[in-house]
Amino acid sequence: MPGPSPGLRRALLGLWAALGLGFYGLSAVAQEPFWADLQPRVALVERGGSLWLNCSTNCPRPERGGLETSLRRNGTQRGLRWLARQLVDIREPETQPVCFFRCARRTLQARGLIRTFQRPDRVELVPLPTWQPVGENFTLSCRVPGAGPRGSLTLTLLRGAQELIRRSFAGEPPRARGAVLTATVLARREDHGANFSCRAELDLRPHGLGLFENSSVPRELRTFALSPDLPRITAPRLLEVGSEKLVNCALGGLFPVSEAGVYLALGDERLNPDITLEGDALMATATATASAEQEGARQLVCIVTLGGETRETWENVTVYSFPAPLLTLSETSVPEGKMVTITCTAGARALVTLDGVPAAVPGRPAQIQLNATENDDRRGFFCDATLKVDGESLKKNESAELRVLYAPRLDDSDCPRSWTWPEGPEQMLRCNARGNPAPSVHCARPDGGAVLALGLLGPITRALSGTYRCTAANIQGEAVKDVTLTVEYAPALDSVGCPERITWLEGTEASLSCVAHGFPPPKVSCVRSGDAEVMEGLLHVAREHAGTYQCEATNTQGSVAKNVAITVEYGPSFEELNCPSNWTWVEGSGQLFSCEVDGKPQPRLECIGSGGTSEGVLLPLAPPESSPRAPSIPNELAPGIYTCNATNRHGSMVKTVAVSVESPPQMNESTCPSHQTWLEGEAAKLACVAGGRPSPQVRCSREGTPLPPRLHVSRQDAGTYRCLAINPHGTDARMVTVGVEYRPVVAELAASPPGGVRPGGNFTLTCRAEAWPPAQISWRAPPGALNIGLSSNNSTLSVAGALGSHGGEYECAATNAHGRHSRRITVRVAGPWLWVAVGGAAGGAALLAAGAGLAFYVQSTACKKGEYNVQEAESSGEAVCLNGTGGGSGGGAGPEGGTEPADIAEAPAEGEVFAIQLTSA
């Protein structure tokens, strides 16, 4: 019996080699040196905190061990090869504990590193100036004492939420603690009231801890800007004792203007100003009142204060005393003819003038004497005083009135002898008499009748006309005068004297006259609207006399006009233009026969059929425009001859009308189907016919392009067409959707993979057809081909695990209502089947033995020399055994004369490989 194959021997050697490498590794581990370990090696602890350290070794039996550190300890736990110790109140910035063990006369050591950190609990911003001038620099300084390590600190100076400067202290020594950040900032107006603060961040996230943040208490900055200009004072140069005057002080360029303070004083008296702000300007307004103690030159002082700085200015004001002059009359009311003395006096330094006549010297009075007359009643006297103060002349005056008593006078200018008033609006009747005391006036008719209400507003009526006696009286006497009152009133046209409507009959005689009322008596004239000729005298009535006439009555108080409508009546008559003899009615138009008959009053009209289908039928008539009744619209109308009869109270008239009936175009689904189908390659046209009278013409178009009468159909002709029917009475349109159907064509038949298939492999045939309506796909396969799968629409044929019986010609057929089309394709099943059993050392001795036994059996039994045929149960292929070399080939005609690619059996380049190949019978 032959020995194991070389392949099996090589696998067994590999297995032993792997076992040898494992033992070698175990020996190497046994020789590794001992060590000591400290956990954690590096630790970061908050200042004042605690930490457990674990010191251990891999020495099987250490002689002794320990943990060296300067830190305070709280507890210790021990084992054979380990030691755990708790360190408390850790405050050193950095310490290095040492873990040691004594093993086999050697000392094993492990060093650790413990660092502490302190949170930024105190963040301090140095106080800011009380007031900071705009445009000047100030210093921001932030201190964070004790926080660290400094290398993990970042300080940020902020204005509100805005970062001004940010500094990281990365790179500082680990033991460094605390930090200071200083910045110089230029003060701006917008910084006023802003909060400045400092934020500290201790970032320990790289060490497995968190981010610790803290901020300082914000400090508010107050900035200011004070103009170098001096305040501006507005005040009177002179101020009279006891008078009140407004003074104000203004200054611009202030920021913040609301923080500015103002001091305003007149001499030693401080004023209480009202402050008004506008933009960056300030104005202080106060009322200055001078007292007698302040008489003389005084200073008005204004001081503006802002941010600890001041601006001061002053103006000179002279306080003076100037009493008003005194004007006296010896008697203020005297009878006519009596003497009166008038005197004007003033202060010691004032010069007085009485009615333009000055006194001799300042301080002396001025005087006038007169004999009182009627003309002196209500005479005014004027006393002027002049005083010079600080080079300026000041004036004051006083006045008085003299009353002189005298008897009444009735002048024509105040109480005319003849009065003329228009009737209607309210008037105030006046008859004024002169006299002092003021006389009373009474006007009444001499016969004891009506009394005039003098001085009162009241309506003027015709009843007030007449002659009245007016009497004026006071304690000095009385006066009498007769007056005449005349009341005029505008014309009036009433319905009795001038009616609004007049009816005349054509062919008779008539005249137009109107009577009007009014004072003075009015003149009346009547003119036809749009005509300038006045209508006078007797007329022979004709239709053209009908219309509207304006009659106008005029006098000195005005005019009145009235429209008079004259109607001329006459019998009925027809005109061809308004009532045609031939009329065409269009179905569905809602038309009514319009027949206008001339006649007054409006004639009654009726049209009745007089022959044929219209016998006795009433022709529907369009109502007059003024008719409130809605007309009845006919649905159908009988053509024929109709007789129209028009009648009113002045006679009747007859006319014959011939009526014809037509209709607009109309298409529906039966005459023009909305969906039509054509067949590609045939001649076709749209089937659309329209009804209507006269017969409509139908034209169809697609996107504005007219459709020829007949066309050779292609697929591009499918789409939507618009068919339009036209006759004189309108149009009708329909949208027609045309579908184009065509015969099936197998456009593509392809195999995947394209180069043939090996036995046991998979392949897919895809068939794509173009057709409308969509084609039904069917297949014809070689005889004996089993286990064939089809897709849901039969477009794909698939085979899994190809056998020899699957080789051959396949046919795909596409069928629809318009025909059938097919294509063929040949499938070759050929190629190597490779089964290789390989034994591996890693698979174990049993797998190697089985692989070696199989290889020995195949080699010794199957194919030592030559080739053998094997018939498969399901195919007609041949089995060929190949000894390291060999191959097969096959080919066949492709679809429609094409050539399918040859199938080639592939063999490995080296080694002993055995396979079975199936070739088509």
Side-chain angles (χ1 to χ4, degrees):
M1 184 174 182
S5 66
L8 180 58
R9 289 194 294 268
R10 287 195 295 268
L12 292 174
L13 289 174
L15 181 59
W16 284 112
L19 293 173
L21 288 174
F23 284 115
Y24 176 78
L26 181 59
S27 175
V29 171
Q31 296 175 6
E32 182 179 351
F34 298 123
W35 43 258
D37 185 30
L38 179 63
Q39 292 296 331
R41 276 293 178 92
V42 179
L44 189 63
V45 183
E46 187 170 5
R47 188 173 184 270
S50 61
L51 175 68
W52 278 94
L53 289 181
N54 191 343
C55 179
S56 61
T57 181
N58 65 343
C59 180
R61 287 189 170 275
E63 299 173 11
R64 61 185 182 88
L67 181 65
E68 293 182 354
T69 177
S70 62
L71 300 176
R72 289 177 54 195
R73 293 165 288 184
N74 187 37
T76 303
Q77 297 177 7
R78 291 181 179 273
L80 177 62
R81 293 192 298 271
W82 60 274
L83 168 68
R85 180 166 292 164
Q86 185 183 29
L87 306 179
V88 297
D89 195 21
I90 304 173
R91 295 183 176 275
E92 292 292 330
E94 182 178 295
T95 59
Q96 294 184 358
V98 178
C99 167
F100 67 92
F101 285 95
R102 185 70 177 173
C103 179
R105 293 178 295 177
R106 293 177 52 211
T107 300
L108 308 177
Q109 285 188 350
R111 289 184 177 273
L113 177 62
I114 301 176
R115 289 178 176 158
T116 59
F117 71 90
Q118 183 171 340
R119 306 182 190 219
D121 296 327
R122 290 175 53 200
V123 183
E124 301 172 354
L125 184 66
V126 175
L128 301 176
T130 305
W131 284 98
Q132 176 64 34
V134 172
E136 296 184 10
N137 291 328
F138 65 97
T139 300
L140 288 176
S141 181
C142 175
R143 296 176 60 253
V144 186
R150 187 185 299 162
S152 299
L153 267 178
T154 299
L155 298 186
T156 306
L157 292 174
L158 300 103
R159 178 196 292 117
Q162 177 190 3
E163 291 188 1
L164 297 178
I165 184 172
R166 181 182 179 90
R167 180 183 173 187
S168 171
F169 293 89
E172 292 284 334
R175 300 180 65 88
R177 296 291 186 272
V180 176
L181 178 60
T182 302
T184 300
V185 182
L186 181 67
R188 307 171 304 169
R189 287 196 176 196
E190 52 267 33
D191 292 334
H192 180 70
N195 286 324
F196 289 81
S197 61
C198 175
R199 183 176 66 231
E201 301 172 14
L202 182 64
D203 190 0
L204 300 180
R205 288 175 293 185
H207 304 288
L209 299 177
L211 174 67
F212 302 98
E213 293 181 295
N214 195 13
S215 296
S216 69
V217 175
R219 295 189 183 274
E220 182 180 2
L221 180 66
R222 302 170 72 193
T223 62
F224 77 96
L226 180 59
S227 171
D229 299 334
L230 296 179
R232 299 180 304 278
I233 292 179
T234 303
R237 193 167 61 87
L238 304 176
L239 184 61
E240 185 178 4
V241 172
S243 65
E244 294 182 349
K245 297 291 183 181
L246 289 178
V247 297
N248 60 61
C249 175
L251 181 61
L254 300 175
F255 176 82
V257 65
S258 60
E259 298 287 342
V262 180
Y263 172 82
L264 195 60
L266 177 61
D268 297 332
E269 182 183 354
R270 181 169 181 175
L271 305 180
N272 186 20
D274 292 328
I275 310 298
T276 57
L277 308 178
E278 183 175 354
D280 63 353
L282 170 150
M283 177 174 286
T285 304
T287 301
T289 304
S291 61
E293 293 79 10
Q294 292 179 311
E295 190 171 356
R298 293 288 183 267
Q299 280 190 345
L300 180 64
V301 179
C302 177
I303 302 174
V304 178
T305 304
L306 179 61
E309 297 184 11
T310 61
R311 298 289 184 269
E312 180 178 354
T313 188
W314 56 270
E315 289 286 344
N316 286 327
V317 177
T318 301
V319 179
Y320 67 93
S321 177
F322 184 16
L326 180 63
L327 179 63
T328 59
L329 279 71
S330 58
E331 290 184 66
T332 57
S333 179
V334 297
E336 189 176 14
K338 188 173 182 180
M339 293 296 295
V340 179
T341 300
I342 302 97
T343 304
C344 173
T345 60
R349 296 184 296 119
L351 177 64
V352 296
T353 302
L354 181 58
D355 274 5
V357 179
V361 293
R364 295 289 299 275
Q367 195 173 73
I368 295 177
Q369 286 188 337
L370 59 85
N371 186 11
T373 65
E374 172 190 343
N375 296 329
D376 293 325
D377 185 36
R378 297 186 178 278
R379 177 179 172 181
F381 295 92
F382 298 92
C383 173
D384 297 315
T386 304
L387 177 67
K388 290 188 176 294
V389 179
D390 198 15
E392 185 174 341
S393 294
L394 305 178
K395 292 183 179 295
K396 287 189 177 182
N397 56 64
E398 188 65 51
S399 63
E401 184 181 74
L402 176 64
R403 298 304 307 273
V404 177
L405 305 178
Y406 60 96
R409 274 88 162 169
L410 286 171
D411 299 330
D412 288 342
S413 58
D414 297 326
C415 186
R417 295 182 181 276
S418 178
W419 293 340
T420 301
W421 294 97
E423 184 183 38
E426 291 186 336
Q427 299 286 349
M428 184 177 292
L429 301 177
R430 296 185 181 277
C431 180
N432 297 326
R434 293 187 299 109
N436 192 17
S440 62
V441 181
H442 176 76
C443 295
R445 288 186 176 178
D447 56 3
V451 176
L452 292 180
L454 300 176
L456 298 176
L457 192 65
I460 301 301
T461 63
R462 303 173 195 180
L464 294 178
S465 297
T467 300
Y468 295 83
R469 174 160 293 176
C470 295
T471 302
N474 67 6
I475 57 175
Q476 301 294 322
E478 69 176 26
V480 177
K481 189 176 189 177
D482 288 338
V483 298
T484 301
L485 175 60
T486 301
V487 178
E488 296 182 350
Y489 51 95
L493 290 170
D494 57 22
S495 298
V496 176
C498 190
E500 289 83 0
R501 297 183 180 276
I502 300 175
T503 300
W504 292 343
L505 181 61
E506 185 180 31
T508 63
E509 291 185 344
S511 63
L512 177 60
S513 61
C514 276
V515 178
H517 305 282
F519 188 84
K523 178 183 177 182
V524 181
S525 62
C526 295
V527 178
R528 185 171 183 171
S529 297
D531 196 353
E533 183 179 356
V534 177
M535 192 173 184
E536 296 178 335
L538 198 64
L539 300 175
H540 186 75
V541 177
R543 298 185 190 182
E544 56 267 23
H545 291 139
T548 299
Y549 292 79
Q550 187 179 58
C551 294
E552 184 177 25
T554 306
N555 67 6
T556 57
Q557 291 302 312
S559 64
V560 64
K562 185 175 185 179
N563 287 334
V564 177
I566 293 182
T567 302
V568 176
E569 295 186 350
Y570 49 90
S573 64
F574 290 100
E575 292 185 5
E576 182 64 23
L577 181 63
N578 297 325
C579 188
S581 301
N582 295 282
W583 182 60
T584 299
W585 181 74
V586 180
E587 289 182 5
S589 64
Q591 286 180 305
L592 299 172
F593 181 57
S594 177
C595 181
E596 297 181 7
V597 184
D598 192 16
K600 289 239 187 256
Q602 179 66 37
R604 180 178 177 272
L605 178 63
E606 187 178 61
C607 297
I608 301 176
S610 58
T613 58
S614 65
E615 181 70 34
V617 177
L618 283 175
L619 182 64
L621 300 175
E625 293 182 1
S626 59
S627 174
R629 295 173 54 188
S632 175
I633 307 300
N635 294 325
E636 58 183 16
L637 184 65
I641 303 300
Y642 290 80
T643 300
C644 296
N645 185 19
T647 305
N648 70 5
R649 61 174 174 257
H650 301 298
S652 64
M653 181 69 68
V654 175
K655 182 170 185 171
T656 301
V657 178
V659 176
S660 60
V661 177
E662 295 183 355
S663 62
Q666 185 175 11
M667 294 187 291
N668 52 35
E669 188 66 25
S670 62
T671 62
C672 185
S674 58
H675 290 81
Q676 301 185 26
T677 302
W678 294 345
L679 181 62
E680 185 179 39
E682 296 185 356
K685 69 174 183 178
L686 284 174
C688 277
V689 178
R693 289 191 298 272
S695 296
Q697 186 178 13
V698 180
R699 295 186 180 92
C700 297
S701 63
R702 182 182 181 185
E703 297 180 353
T705 303
L707 185 69
R710 297 187 72 81
L711 75 160
H712 193 72
V713 177
S714 68
R715 299 179 194 181
Q716 287 73 26
D717 294 327
T720 301
Y721 293 79
R722 184 176 186 270
C723 292
L724 184 67
I726 303 174
N727 76 358
H729 301 301
T731 62
D732 190 18
R734 278 184 71 80
M735 303 303 293
V736 179
T737 301
V738 174
V740 175
E741 297 185 351
Y742 43 91
R743 299 173 180 85
V745 173
V746 177
E748 179 183 4
L749 180 58
S752 176
V757 63
R758 297 173 182 175
N762 303 334
F763 69 90
T764 301
L765 300 183
T766 301
C767 181
R768 182 176 63 82
E770 295 180 356
W772 193 262
Q776 298 292 326
I777 304 296
S778 62
W779 293 86
R780 184 176 61 80
L786 302 178
N787 298 328
I788 293 176
L790 295 175
S791 62
S792 59
N793 60 356
N794 286 3
S795 63
T796 301
L797 180 148
S798 59
V799 173
L803 303 174
S805 60
H806 291 109
E809 187 176 73
Y810 289 79
E811 180 183 83
C812 172
T815 307
N816 71 0
H818 303 297
R820 180 180 185 276
H821 183 256
S822 66
R823 288 182 69 176
R824 298 176 183 177
I825 188 171
T826 300
V827 176
R828 302 295 183 185
V829 179
W833 280 56
L834 182 60
W835 297 90
V836 179
V838 179
L847 182 59
L848 286 173
L854 177 61
F856 175 76
Y857 174 78
V858 172
Q859 183 178 16
S860 61
T861 306
C863 297
K864 292 183 181 178
K865 296 178 182 179
E867 300 177 352
Y868 295 86
N869 293 331
V870 178
Q871 293 293 328
E872 292 186 346
E874 294 181 320
S875 71
S876 59
E878 292 181 354
V880 179
C881 178
L882 303 177
N883 250 328
T885 61
S889 64
E896 298 182 356
T899 301
E900 294 287 359
D903 297 336
I904 300 174
E906 298 178 356
E910 58 184 3
E912 297 179 358
V913 179
F914 304 92
I916 298 175
Q917 177 182 358
L918 294 178
T919 60
S920 58

